[in-house]
């Protein structure tokens, strides 16, 4: 009877199916040897054995029954097996290789059956070709379905992993508190990934040192969490916030010393019922910026799945993000302390000696989340017994803001030394900020400043404000100008408080816009309040309401300026202000007529002699006879220069303050310069002589001309007298 190739293949499949158990065993032995990753862990091994039997029995049965090759389908459990392989991190190449190895064994056995069924060589060849085509088509279809299920599970796992990492990024490190950060790590891991977590940090890290000092390292238990039922967790008996060590052969010790994670699966626990005891653990070091900070241990006892390689990688990524948050908190604490020290070193430490005002100040840094800022204040003695009062604010926080504040404070002091009016000083200070901004835009951001959320303090336009005031105790006159700063307040001697209305000025760093000054007459005893916006701003009120509260708080004056500062801060600030606060209070004083003498002089050299006589009489009235000679020389030189090079009217003024101040004013605009005269020069020695006799001297310009001044002390008079003898 003639037999077709299809029938011959069906007979061979029927004969082979009768001993399918032996074929299945041979395939399993081969796959266990060639693709061992399919048999670890135990649940995969059981599934792989069942899947091999389903494939072989199903194919042999369908071929023996003559089912059309296109209709032979892989077993339904094949897709689930592929998904389980993907979940456990097995590579897809292992899945495909297993299909090809099994196909080869089955083909060999079927080919061995064909010669026993017929002597027709041509029919055997045709049947073999048909068998190969059918088997290849089946394996390709099974592989495609398996790869599709495998990739679907891989994509789902990847999305879950990304979602978990994203949640860790949002939930871990919400504060700069180390204990809370580590507890956030434990909470999020137990919620999504493990049944229990314990976190230990090196005690040297918490105490401020970078490296452990002992072997084995001393750790502190900082966080932990476990889901019920409670089981015995290795190392879980250590009380919270207590010190302990791990044995040298333990996984946590190896993680700390090598910096590499590990996972452990106790062999005798793998077959326990879920929840009986820990069957899978991981020890992951917490490392950030090359430094080991501690170790986190993860445990499973309810989840039947063991930790695998992908879990280890995920745990490493989570631990790395948490370690950065812990290290940020540690670095922030140290950097904030350094920034505070820097800022306080840049602020005035004592009241400069001057008679124009009595001052008191307060500086309060913001809360821990904001970091140290760039607020500053200053009191600068000026010529003519005047004083400059300054309050400023640099946008941003951190060391960079504090350093910029120091540069601006130095610039203000330098500009104040040349006696610029307030509006002109702010104009020059604006140029300084523009140059600093240009320098900052050319420099890379400082990645080491952990306290500076605002990386580029002068990277974007207007970033600083300033209020500059000059008070003259002789005229009781105060000139003020502001650059984007909040308005000052004044408490009059009669107890009424008001907000001084100043022309608005642009913040420093805008450039190209003018500044204007306002002038006020302040009676003796007036309290002038200069401050930064942190004193009046708040989330529950606007600036206008803040100014009203300030005006009311200023009326709560205490017995002293120090007490008034404290009362104002208590009335205006919350317990934890979110911005730095600088407050400067100045109570005005006045120099009476008995301390000031003024003479109007003709532009005639003959008037100098009369002026010297007037000066001598005035010094005798003040009891400053020791300064007669020095003062006469200085007055003679200054008056002679004013008569020769200046323009009338010419005025001479003496002020008896902490020292003797001599001022000669004229309406000219030329500035005298100190130079060294040559041997045969007829002039050029006057200012040189003044500079040698006076403690300080200089020139200031006003709207009506200039004033050349010199400051003399009684020690200068004694030295001059000794030199004359």
């Amino acid at each position: 009877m003639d037999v077709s190739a299809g029938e011959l293949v069906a007979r061979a499949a029927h004969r082979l199916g009768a001993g399918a158990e032996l074929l299945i065993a041979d395939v399993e032995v081969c796959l266990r040897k060639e693709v061992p990753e399919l048999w670890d862990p135990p649940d995969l091994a059981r599934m792989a054995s069942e899947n091999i039997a389903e494939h072989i029995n199903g194919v042999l049965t369908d071929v023996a029954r003559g089912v059309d090759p296109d209709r032979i389908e892989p077993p339904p459990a094949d897709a689930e097996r592929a998904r389980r392989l993907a979940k456990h991190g097995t590579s897809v190449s292992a899945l495909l290789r297993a299909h090809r190895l099994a196909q080869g064994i089955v083909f060999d056995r079927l080919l061995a059956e064909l010669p026993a069924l017929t002597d027709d060589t041509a029919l055997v060849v045709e049947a073999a070709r048909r068998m190969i085509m059918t088997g290849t088509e089946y394996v390709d279809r099974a592989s495609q379905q398996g790869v599709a299920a495998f990739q679907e599970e891989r994509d789902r796992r990847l999305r879950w992993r990304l979602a978990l990492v994203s949640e860790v990024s949002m939930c871990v490190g919400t504060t700069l508190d180390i204990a809370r950060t580590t507890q956030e790590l434990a909470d999020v891991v137990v919620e999504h990934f493990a049944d229990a977590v314990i976190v230990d940090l090196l005690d040297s890290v918490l105490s401020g040192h970078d490296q452990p000092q002992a072997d084995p390292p001393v750790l502190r238990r900082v966080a932990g969490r476990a889901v019920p039922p409670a089981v015995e967790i290795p190392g879980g008996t250590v009380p919270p916030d207590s010190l302990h060590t791990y044995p040298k052969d333990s996984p946590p010790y190896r993680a700390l010393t090598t910096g590499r994670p590990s996972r452990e699966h106790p062999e005798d626990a793998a077959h326990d019922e879920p929840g009986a005891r820990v069957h899978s653990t991981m020890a992951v070091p917490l490392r950030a910026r090359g430094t080991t900070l501690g170790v986190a241990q993860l445990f499973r006892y309810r989840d039947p799945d063991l930790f695998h390689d992908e879990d280890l990688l995920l745990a490493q990524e989570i631990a790395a993000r948490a370690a950065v948050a812990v290290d940020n908190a540690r670095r922030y604490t140290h950097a904030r302390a350094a920034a505070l020290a820097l800022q306080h070193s840049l602020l005035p430490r004592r009241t400069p000696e001057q008679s124009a005002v009595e001052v008191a100040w307060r500086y309060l840094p913001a809360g821990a989340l904001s970091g140290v800022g760039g607020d500053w204040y200053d009191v600068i003695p000026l010529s003519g017994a005047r004083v400059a009062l300054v309050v400023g604010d640099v946008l941003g926080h951190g060391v960079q803001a504090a350093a910029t504040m120091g540069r601006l404070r130095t610039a203000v002091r330098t500009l104040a030394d040349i006696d610029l009016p307030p509006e002109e000083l702010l104009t020059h200070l604006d140029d300084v900020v523009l140059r600093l901004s240009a320098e900052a835009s050319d420099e890379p951001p400082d990645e080491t400043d952990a306290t500076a959320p605002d990386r580029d303090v002068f990277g974007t336009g207007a970033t600083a404000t300033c209020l500059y005031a000059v008070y003259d105790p002789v005229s009781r006159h105060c000139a003020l100008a502001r650059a984007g700063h909040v308005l000052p307040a004044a408490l009059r001697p009669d107890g009424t408080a008001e907000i001084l209305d100043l022309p608005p000025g642009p913040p420093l760093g805008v450039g190209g816009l003018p500044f204007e000054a306002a002038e006020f007459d302040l009676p003796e005893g007036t309290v002038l309040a200069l401050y930064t916006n942190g004193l009046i701003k708040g989330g529950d009120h606007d600036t206008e309401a803040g100014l009203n509260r300030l005006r009311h708080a200023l009326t709560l004056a205490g017995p002293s300026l120090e007490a008034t500062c404290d009362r104002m801060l208590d009335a205006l600030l919350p317990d934890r202000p979110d911005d730095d606060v600088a407050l400067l209070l100045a109570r005005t004083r006045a120099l009476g007529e008995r301390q000031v003498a003024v003479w109007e002089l003709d532009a005639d050299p003959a008037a100098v002699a009369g002026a010297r006589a007037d000066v001598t009489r005035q010094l005798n009235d003040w009891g400053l006879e020791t300064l007669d000679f020095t003062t006469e020389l200085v007055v003679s030189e200054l008056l002679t220069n004013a008569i020769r090079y200046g323009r009338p009217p010419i005025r001479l003024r003496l002020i008896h303050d902490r020292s003797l101040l001599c001022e000669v004013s004229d309406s000219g605009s030329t500035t005298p310069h100190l130079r060294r005269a040559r041997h045969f020069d007829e002039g050029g020695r006057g200012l040189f002589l003044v500079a040698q006799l006076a403690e300080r001297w200089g020139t200031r310009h006003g709207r009506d001309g200039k004033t050349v001044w010199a400051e003399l002390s009684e020690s200068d008079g004694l030295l001059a007298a000794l030199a004359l003898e």
Side-chain angles (χ1 to χ4, degrees):
M1 179 177 62
D2 294 333
V3 180
S4 65
E7 292 174 343
L8 185 61
V9 172
R11 291 180 180 180
H14 180 74
R15 286 171 58 88
L16 190 60
E21 292 80 3
L22 181 60
L23 176 60
I24 292 171
D26 290 343
V27 170
E28 183 172 334
V29 170
C30 176
L31 295 186
R32 282 182 179 272
K33 178 181 178 181
E34 299 295 333
V35 197
E37 55 265 41
L38 297 182
W39 310 91
D40 185 26
D43 60 332
L44 281 183
R46 183 173 58 255
M47 182 177 288
S49 298
E50 295 173 354
N51 191 252
I52 291 171
E54 290 177 356
H55 271 289
I56 292 176
N57 288 328
V59 169
L60 293 179
T61 300
D62 287 346
V63 171
R65 292 170 53 193
V67 176
D68 190 337
D70 294 338
R71 301 182 62 184
I72 300 177
E73 293 293 336
D78 199 47
E80 177 60 26
R81 172 172 168 265
R83 283 189 285 270
R84 293 286 293 176
L85 290 174
K87 181 178 179 181
H88 283 270
T90 308
S91 65
V92 69
S93 60
L95 175 66
L96 297 177
R97 187 161 182 261
H99 280 297
R100 294 302 178 187
L101 289 172
Q103 178 189 16
I105 295 174
V106 174
F107 280 175
D108 289 344
R109 298 298 173 85
L110 285 173
L111 288 174
E113 296 290 339
L114 293 179
L117 297 175
T118 181
D119 295 331
D120 189 344
T121 304
L123 183 60
V124 170
V125 171
E126 178 65 22
R129 185 174 63 177
R130 181 182 179 88
M131 181 183 61
I132 291 173
M133 292 177 60
T134 300
T136 301
E137 181 179 349
Y138 173 81
V139 170
D140 287 345
R141 187 162 57 252
S143 298
Q144 290 175 1
Q145 294 180 6
V147 168
F150 185 95
Q151 191 60 45
E152 178 184 355
E153 179 63 21
R154 292 284 292 180
D155 292 343
R156 188 192 69 80
R157 295 281 298 176
L158 179 60
R159 290 192 298 270
W160 173 79
R161 177 174 175 172
L162 292 175
L164 180 55
V165 171
S166 176
E167 184 172 350
V168 169
S169 300
M170 292 185 295
C171 297
V172 178
T174 58
T175 67
L176 290 171
D177 180 79
I178 294 178
R180 181 169 177 179
T181 299
T182 52
Q183 188 59 50
E184 289 170 346
L185 167 65
D187 291 342
V188 72
V189 169
V190 167
E191 185 175 350
H192 298 285
F193 190 42
D195 296 327
V197 175
I198 55 177
V199 183
D200 299 306
L201 293 182
L202 292 168
D203 187 58
S204 57
V205 169
L206 297 175
S207 60
H209 303 291
D210 290 335
Q211 298 296 333
Q213 300 297 322
D215 187 22
V218 178
L219 299 109
R220 185 178 296 275
R221 179 63 47 83
V222 292
R225 184 179 174 184
V227 294
V231 299
E232 184 179 350
I233 298 175
T237 57
V238 176
D241 200 37
S242 61
L243 298 178
H244 66 100
T245 60
Y246 284 108
K248 290 190 175 182
D249 59 345
S250 63
Y253 177 86
R254 292 195 297 270
L256 286 169
T257 55
T258 65
R260 293 191 296 269
S262 63
R263 58 190 177 99
E264 304 287 335
H265 309 308
E267 294 293 337
D268 58 345
H271 304 287
D272 288 344
E273 290 294 326
R277 57 173 170 160
V278 173
H279 61 76
S280 187
T281 66
M282 288 193 295
V284 185
L286 298 176
R287 289 181 55 83
R289 302 178 178 95
T291 300
T292 300
L293 307 177
V295 62
Q297 295 183 79
L298 289 70
F299 307 91
R300 277 184 178 172
Y301 46 85
R302 295 183 63 190
D303 190 337
D305 290 336
L306 303 178
F307 288 124
H308 49 78
D309 289 341
E310 282 199 356
D311 292 331
L312 194 62
L313 290 175
L314 179 58
Q316 280 184 273
E317 189 167 359
I318 293 173
R321 291 175 180 266
V324 170
V326 172
D327 194 49
N328 285 343
R330 178 177 70 107
R331 288 170 175 261
Y332 176 83
T333 301
H334 299 158
R336 176 174 168 78
L340 282 171
L342 170 64
Q343 186 180 44
H344 284 294
S345 69
L346 295 173
L347 292 172
R349 296 188 178 183
R350 59 183 180 85
T351 305
E353 293 184 359
Q354 47 82 35
S355 302
V357 292
E358 175 193 355
V359 295
W361 56 63
R362 292 291 185 274
Y363 171 77
L364 296 179
L369 293 181
S370 298
V372 65
D375 293 16
W376 90 92
Y377 55 87
D378 212 344
V379 179
I380 309 171
L382 301 177
S383 64
R386 299 169 305 139
V387 67
L389 306 173
V390 191
V391 168
D393 185 3
V394 175
L395 180 67
H397 294 86
V399 175
Q400 182 66 31
T404 302
M405 174 270 289
R407 298 172 75 177
L408 290 186
R409 179 172 177 245
T410 301
V412 170
R413 279 187 160 265
T414 302
L415 295 171
D417 282 344
I418 58 178
D419 275 318
L420 291 176
E423 66 274 18
E424 292 186 22
L425 183 141
L426 291 181
T427 300
H428 287 286
L429 190 61
D430 187 48
D431 294 336
V432 172
V433 173
L434 288 173
R435 286 194 295 271
L436 291 177
S437 179
E439 292 175 5
S441 63
D442 294 335
E443 296 177 357
D446 183 6
E447 299 295 338
T448 64
D449 186 0
T451 71
D454 303 297
R455 292 289 187 186
D456 189 357
V457 175
F458 280 122
T460 54
T463 51
T465 66
C466 184
L467 175 64
Y468 186 81
V470 175
Y471 173 70
D472 187 346
V474 177
S475 64
R476 302 174 181 83
H477 189 76
C478 185
L480 305 95
R482 64 182 179 130
H485 206 78
V486 288
L487 294 170
L491 177 65
R492 301 287 182 175
D494 60 2
T496 60
E498 62 177 324
I499 303 297
L500 300 182
D501 188 15
L502 304 185
L508 299 172
V510 174
L513 297 176
F515 298 95
E516 298 181 57
E519 299 181 354
F520 300 89
D521 291 324
L522 300 181
E524 184 176 9
T526 300
V527 177
L528 195 62
L530 282 65
Y531 53 93
T532 55
N533 62 351
L535 186 65
I536 62 171
K537 74 176 186 180
D540 58 343
H541 59 266
D542 56 15
T543 302
E544 186 65 28
L547 291 175
N548 291 333
R549 293 177 59 193
L550 171 72
R551 186 169 57 243
H552 175 70
L554 191 57
T555 61
L556 305 175
S560 65
L561 286 185
E562 297 290 338
T564 302
C565 282
D566 294 335
R567 290 186 180 184
M568 291 183 65
L569 295 180
D570 291 341
L572 295 174
L573 293 182
D575 294 335
R576 295 176 62 87
D578 57 2
D579 194 8
D580 287 11
V581 174
L583 172 64
L584 175 62
L585 297 183
R587 178 179 286 123
T588 61
R589 296 170 176 160
L591 296 181
E593 296 181 357
R594 296 176 58 85
Q595 294 177 269
V596 182
V598 181
W599 298 274
E600 300 290 340
L601 303 176
D602 296 331
D604 184 355
V608 176
R612 286 200 301 267
D614 293 336
V615 167
T616 300
R617 286 192 296 271
Q618 186 63 57
L619 292 180
N620 291 333
D621 292 342
W622 285 340
L624 300 176
E625 294 84 354
T626 56
L627 286 174
D628 283 352
F629 177 74
T630 305
T631 308
E632 286 185 12
L633 285 177
V634 170
V635 168
S636 294
E637 294 299 334
L638 296 183
L639 283 176
T640 300
N641 278 345
I643 293 171
R644 180 178 298 178
Y645 303 109
R647 293 188 301 177
I650 297 173
R651 186 180 67 168
L652 170 63
R653 184 170 74 162
L654 297 182
I655 301 175
H656 182 202
D657 189 23
R658 298 175 181 271
S659 57
L660 180 64
L661 304 175
C662 301
E663 298 181 346
V664 175
S665 304
D666 67 82
S667 59
S669 59
T670 57
T671 301
H673 296 284
L674 182 66
R675 65 185 180 89
R676 185 179 297 274
R678 297 181 178 88
H679 289 294
F680 300 103
D681 289 347
E682 295 183 1
R685 295 176 174 82
L687 284 181
F688 183 79
L689 181 62
V690 171
Q692 298 302 310
L693 295 175
E695 193 169 297
R696 294 191 306 146
W697 77 280
T699 304
R700 67 174 182 267
H701 291 268
R703 294 184 179 87
D704 300 325
K706 68 175 182 299
T707 299
V708 183
W709 57 270
E711 182 178 339
L712 306 173
S713 65
E714 293 195 47
S715 60
D716 296 327
L718 292 174
L719 290 174
L722 291 174
L724 184 62
E725 293 178 358

